[in-house]
Amino acid sequence: GMSTPQSGLFADQNYSFKTRFGDGNTPETRGTNPEELLAAAHAGCFSMALSAVLGRAGFTPTTIETRAEATMEPGMEPGPTVTGVHLTVSASVPGISAEQFAEIANAAKAGCVISRALAVPVTMDATLIQ
């Protein structure tokens, strides 16, 4: 099938069993899948949450980059299961210590709407770029 979110941003993306479990090297296996969309949503949501929590603490980030990797185990009952999400975050935040950044990043992870929506553990590596 095809997937086009309401915004139209990812218009007409291949979205099928083959795009989910194929090797991605043929036209019918290139596209997106639920896990990729979940990870993209989580990365975006977390970046917004981190920016907001930093702002409330009096810090203005120069950059925030977040990558989310969803782990899916295919052989579980009742079927393939997302068993976790790992956030890899790097940010440049003038005037903040590594300890403050870690505390704020953890607060953002706990407060992120997508983090709260998931019933799986969410792990993270947060790196302060100075």
Side-chain angles (χ1 to χ4, degrees), residues 58-86:
F59 298 102
T60 303
T62 305
T63 62
I64 296 174
E65 293 183 20
T66 305
R67 186 178 82 223
E69 295 179 61
T71 301
M72 185 170 69
E73 297 294 331
M76 299 183 73
E77 286 295 327
T81 301
V82 174
T83 57
V85 176
H86 182 78

Side-chain angles (χ1 to χ4, degrees), residues 31-48:
T32 192
N33 59 65
E35 297 76 32
E36 181 179 57
L37 296 172
L38 174 75
H42 201 176
C45 181
F46 174 81
S47 290
M48 286 188 265

Side-chain angles (χ1 to χ4, degrees), residues 49-129:
L50 180 57
S51 180
V53 177
L54 284 165
R56 284 194 299 271
F59 298 102
T60 303
T62 305
T63 62
I64 296 174
E65 293 183 20
T66 305
R67 186 178 82 223
E69 295 179 61
T71 301
M72 185 170 69
E73 297 294 331
M76 299 183 73
E77 286 295 327
T81 301
V82 174
T83 57
V85 176
H86 182 78
L87 300 173
T88 302
V89 183
S90 59
S92 178
V93 186
I96 196 170
S97 70
E99 294 79 19
Q100 289 171 306
F101 178 73
E103 183 179 318
I104 288 172
N106 279 311
K109 179 175 68 91
C112 169
V113 172
I114 302 298
S115 292
R116 292 188 326 236
L118 298 173
V120 296
V122 178
T123 60
M124 176 178 61
D125 290 323
T127 303
L128 175 63
I129 302 170

